[in-house]
């Protein structure tokens, strides 16, 4: 884990023979959930001295966990699998135990993205949205794993993150007609939910006003540094917004400082 301001290690955890395929950190930065290629899930505690300790380690089936996400209150964990299923767990004793309580079944390809709603719907249950490798988008009741219809009432839900590459509020970042040469590899929204960033398979990184409903929206495009960009994430520290990007062929993690005046001057013209 790095500190974005200084680009120094905040902490690191060494796991032998672990090829990590997905990970997430809870809202307080004290727990990390890490899944390896051999289907082993580890929950790691980070103390105030940035020392790490493995609290929970278990092998979950025979399919890799391709997406992981803590709930906003850190009480639940959703794991998306290559076997097309999302597994739901309750986090017990601050990560010492994970208690399974449900599954979301309905995708036909590996799960690539999971997001929790920022708040509970009607103060009763969280929503989950998910996408799979065949660009299938689904909504779920996180309390039961029930699949929900994508109704107009659910289109304006505030999401705690935006790892899913699809959704009503980000439809405008995709080309009007699907083009194999232009694929969105990664999406993210800033914490103010005013910007959405899209990483294209062409290497372009584009920032749009969020929500982005129409393909006519004009983006702010960052300089290209890699043939393709596989991941983008916004980070907020006080009043400063940074964007982290990972290029597949550059072997570096790029950090951008978002100049809101510059981006607004472009985005406000749309």
């Amino acid at each position: 884990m790095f500190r974005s301001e200084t680009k120094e290690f905040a902490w690191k955890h060494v796991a032998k023979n672990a090829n990590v395929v997905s990970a997430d950190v809870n809202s307080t930065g004290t727990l990390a959930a890490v899944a390896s290629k051999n289907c082993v899930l580890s929950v790691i505690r980070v103390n105030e001295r940035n020392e790490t300790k493995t609290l929970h380690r278990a092998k979950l089936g025979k399919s890799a966990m391709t997406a992981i996400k803590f709930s906003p209150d850190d009480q639940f964990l959703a794991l998306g699998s290559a076997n097309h299923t999302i597994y739901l767990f309750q986090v017990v004793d601050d990560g010492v135990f994970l208690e399974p309580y449900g599954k979301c079944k309905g995708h036909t390809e590996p799960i690539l993205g999971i997001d929790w709603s920022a708040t509970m719907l009607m103060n009763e249950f969280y929503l989950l949205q998910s996408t799979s490798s065949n660009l299938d988008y689904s909504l779920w009741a996180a309390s039961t794993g029930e699949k929900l219809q994508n109704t107009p009432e659910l289109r304006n839900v505030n999401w705690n993150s935006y790892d899913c590459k699809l959704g009503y509020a980000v439809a405008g970042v995709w080309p009007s007609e699907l083009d194999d040469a232009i694929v969105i590899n990664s999406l993210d929204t800033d914490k103010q939910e005013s910007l959405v960033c899209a990483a294209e398979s062409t290497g372009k990184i584009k920032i749009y006003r969020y929500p982005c409903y129409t393909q006519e929206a004009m983006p702010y495009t960052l300089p290209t540094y890699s043939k393709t960009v596989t991941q983008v994430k916004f980070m907020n520290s006080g009043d400063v917004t940074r964007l982290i990007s990972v290029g597949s062929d550059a072997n570096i993690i790029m950090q951008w400082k978002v100049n809101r005046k510059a981006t607004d001057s472009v985005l406000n013209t749309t």
Side-chain angles (χ1 to χ4, degrees), residues 98-111:
L98 295 179
E99 184 69 32
Y101 73 88
K103 299 177 183 179
C104 304
K105 304 184 74 171
H107 282 292
T108 58
E109 293 292 336
I111 312 298

Side-chain angles (χ1 to χ4, degrees), residues 8-51:
E8 297 175 342
F9 276 119
W11 55 265
K12 66 178 180 179
H13 182 84
V14 178
K16 295 182 178 179
N17 302 319
N19 189 344
V20 175
V21 293
S22 58
D24 192 35
V25 179
N26 71 349
S27 64
T28 60
T30 56
L31 287 180
V34 180
S36 63
K37 192 174 182 179
N38 59 356
C39 312
V40 173
L41 173 68
S42 300
V43 178
I44 301 163
R45 176 180 290 164
V46 184
N47 65 21
E48 62 276 6
R49 295 184 298 275
N50 291 326
E51 298 169 337

Side-chain angles (χ1 to χ4, degrees), residues 114-135:
I114 300 174
D115 300 296
W116 293 79
S117 58
T119 58
M120 289 188 176
L121 191 67
M122 297 179 293
N123 295 319
E124 293 182 0
F125 60 89
Y126 286 108
L127 288 179
L128 285 173
Q129 65 174 1
S130 60
T131 52
S132 56
S133 59
N134 61 344
L135 298 182

Side-chain angles (χ1 to χ4, degrees), residues 21-270:
V21 293
S22 58
D24 192 35
V25 179
N26 71 349
S27 64
T28 60
T30 56
L31 287 180
V34 180
S36 63
K37 192 174 182 179
N38 59 356
C39 312
V40 173
L41 173 68
S42 300
V43 178
I44 301 163
R45 176 180 290 164
V46 184
N47 65 21
E48 62 276 6
R49 295 184 298 275
N50 291 326
E51 298 169 337
T52 63
K53 178 182 179 180
T54 300
L55 301 178
H56 178 91
R57 191 173 187 272
K59 186 175 179 64
L60 302 177
K62 298 180 180 180
S63 299
M65 296 295 164
T66 48
I68 300 181
K69 194 67 66 173
F70 280 102
S71 63
D73 59 7
D74 301 327
Q75 297 301 305
F76 305 98
L77 188 68
L79 305 180
S81 174
N83 70 3
H84 321 156
T85 303
I86 299 173
Y87 297 88
L88 303 172
F89 295 85
Q90 184 173 3
V91 180
V92 181
D93 290 341
D94 197 25
V96 176
F97 300 104
L98 295 179
E99 184 69 32
Y101 73 88
K103 299 177 183 179
C104 304
K105 304 184 74 171
H107 282 292
T108 58
E109 293 292 336
I111 312 298
L112 295 186
I114 300 174
D115 300 296
W116 293 79
S117 58
T119 58
M120 289 188 176
L121 191 67
M122 297 179 293
N123 295 319
E124 293 182 0
F125 60 89
Y126 286 108
L127 288 179
L128 285 173
Q129 65 174 1
S130 60
T131 52
S132 56
S133 59
N134 61 344
L135 298 182
D136 178 42
Y137 174 82
S138 296
L139 291 170
W140 315 87
S143 58
T144 62
E146 177 188 0
K147 189 172 184 178
L148 304 176
Q149 295 294 321
N150 189 5
T151 61
E153 293 79 14
L154 299 180
R155 289 179 177 176
N156 295 317
V157 169
N158 293 325
W159 298 101
N160 196 53
S161 59
Y162 218 109
D163 280 358
C164 290
K165 298 188 293 184
L166 299 171
Y168 183 71
V170 297
V173 308
W174 285 85
S176 56
E177 295 184 4
L178 289 181
D179 184 350
D180 291 339
I182 302 177
V183 176
I184 305 299
N185 287 333
S186 176
L187 280 181
D188 197 32
T189 56
D190 69 333
K191 294 304 180 184
Q192 290 83 15
E193 291 192 318
S194 62
L195 302 174
V196 57
C197 183
E200 294 185 354
S201 57
T202 59
K204 292 182 179 180
I205 302 174
K206 297 179 179 179
I207 300 176
Y208 299 83
R209 180 74 65 201
Y210 180 84
C212 183
Y213 301 118
T214 174
Q215 282 82 11
E216 297 176 358
M218 182 181 295
Y220 181 90
T221 304
L222 299 178
T224 301
Y225 72 96
S226 177
K227 290 181 180 179
T228 183
V229 177
T230 57
Q231 192 68 245
V232 287
K233 284 292 176 185
F234 280 108
M235 298 185 67
N236 292 76
S237 179
D239 296 329
V240 179
T241 299
R242 293 180 172 86
L243 179 70
I244 308 298
S245 64
V246 179
S248 64
D249 61 338
N251 295 323
I252 60 173
I253 299 173
M254 186 74 79
Q255 179 173 261
W256 312 80
K257 185 176 180 180
V258 179
N259 184 332
R260 288 194 174 265
K261 290 184 178 179
T263 54
D264 286 347
S265 66
V266 174
L267 301 178
N268 287 338
T269 63
T270 61

